Amino acid sequence: MPPAGISQAPRRARKRAEGGASSNVFSMFDQSQIQEFKEAFTIMDQNRDGFIDKEDLRDTFAALGRINVKNEELEAMVKEAPGPINFTVFLTMFGEKLKGTDPEETILHAFKVFDTEGKGFVKADFIKEKLMTQADRFSEEEVKQMFAAFPPDVCGNLDYRSLCYIITHGEEKD
């Protein structure tokens, strides 16, 4: 039997390299969120080997109708991970992305500044102009992505309360 600590160090290093990091990423999410992430991971793991790689991403994009994804773009996505992307690494990556998200009340308060009548919505054109000209400016493409993910209504209004909920919770209220 090896002296105490010798056999443990490589195991800990291996765990870190595999994405097992120091804190338990599973405690960051509730069970329903973990289940949703697991379903998304399973959909993306096209070859069912337990890892998401460049070819899985290419196949996922193809399934969504985007067939001319550049190799560089796929490589950049895969390189965001510290190593092979198994489910724990996948969950950790989402946890890190969500960690910087402001609380719902903070985001709501920022929108309420522009909603002087307290209607719960603001004009999409107005928000677009503010996002592209103030502070951390959005590009035209970033604004398009936001409106594609959360389109204004037929009158051009952006329901910021629902948007804030989706930003902080990841899904629409029933």
Side-chain angles (χ1 to χ4, degrees), residues 3-21:
I6 290 179
S7 65
Q8 294 297 326
R11 195 175 304 138
R12 263 182 277 185
R14 197 175 329 118
K15 226 178 182 178
R16 241 179 261 117
E18 293 170 358

Side-chain angles (χ1 to χ4, degrees), residues 9-10 22 33 54 59 61 65 67 69 95 97 101 107 111 138 141 144 152-153 162:
S22 53
Q33 290 172 312
K54 195 167 73 168
D59 293 344
F61 276 115
I67 45 181
V69 183
K97 295 268 187 215
T101 304
I107 299 169
F111 276 106
F138 277 46
E141 183 60 31
K144 282 181 186 175
D153 67 16
S162 294

Side-chain angles (χ1 to χ4, degrees), residues 33-172:
Q33 290 172 312
I34 291 171
Q35 184 58 39
E36 286 179 25
F37 282 121
K38 185 66 176 170
E39 289 170 17
F41 181 86
T42 301
I43 290 168
M44 293 177 73
D45 182 16
Q46 296 278 311
N47 64 7
R48 303 292 183 252
D49 66 354
F51 295 91
I52 294 174
D53 59 21
K54 195 167 73 168
E55 291 309 312
D56 288 325
L57 291 174
R58 183 181 310 287
D59 293 344
T60 300
F61 276 115
L64 295 170
R66 188 168 167 215
I67 45 181
N68 294 325
V69 183
K70 294 180 181 167
N71 254 342
E72 299 81 30
E73 192 177 352
L74 297 170
E75 287 169 7
M77 288 179 200
V78 171
K79 284 181 182 173
E80 286 187 39
I85 306 172
N86 62 18
F87 180 64
T88 303
V89 172
F90 181 79
L91 198 59
T92 301
M93 290 172 73
F94 273 96
E96 288 170 356
K97 295 268 187 215
L98 295 173
K99 202 183 295 179
T101 304
D102 290 320
E104 186 175 6
E105 281 304 311
T106 303
I107 299 169
L108 269 173
H109 183 69
F111 276 106
K112 285 179 182 177
V113 168
F114 300 115
D115 181 17
T116 55
E117 296 176 24
K119 294 179 178 179
F121 60 84
V122 291
K123 288 291 184 188
D125 289 342
F126 176 77
I127 287 299
K128 176 183 177 181
E129 188 255 323
K130 293 299 177 198
L131 289 172
M132 293 180 70
T133 61
Q134 308 293 316
D136 291 333
R137 296 182 177 129
F138 277 46
S139 68
E140 183 78 31
E141 183 60 31
E142 289 170 321
V143 172
K144 282 181 186 175
Q145 289 174 355
M146 182 184 89
F147 288 148
F150 198 83
D153 67 16
V154 293
C155 297
N157 296 318
L158 183 66
D159 177 355
Y160 66 82
R161 290 180 184 160
S162 294
L163 175 61
C164 291
Y165 185 88
I166 291 169
I167 289 170
T168 55
H169 295 85
E171 57 191 51
E172 289 192 59

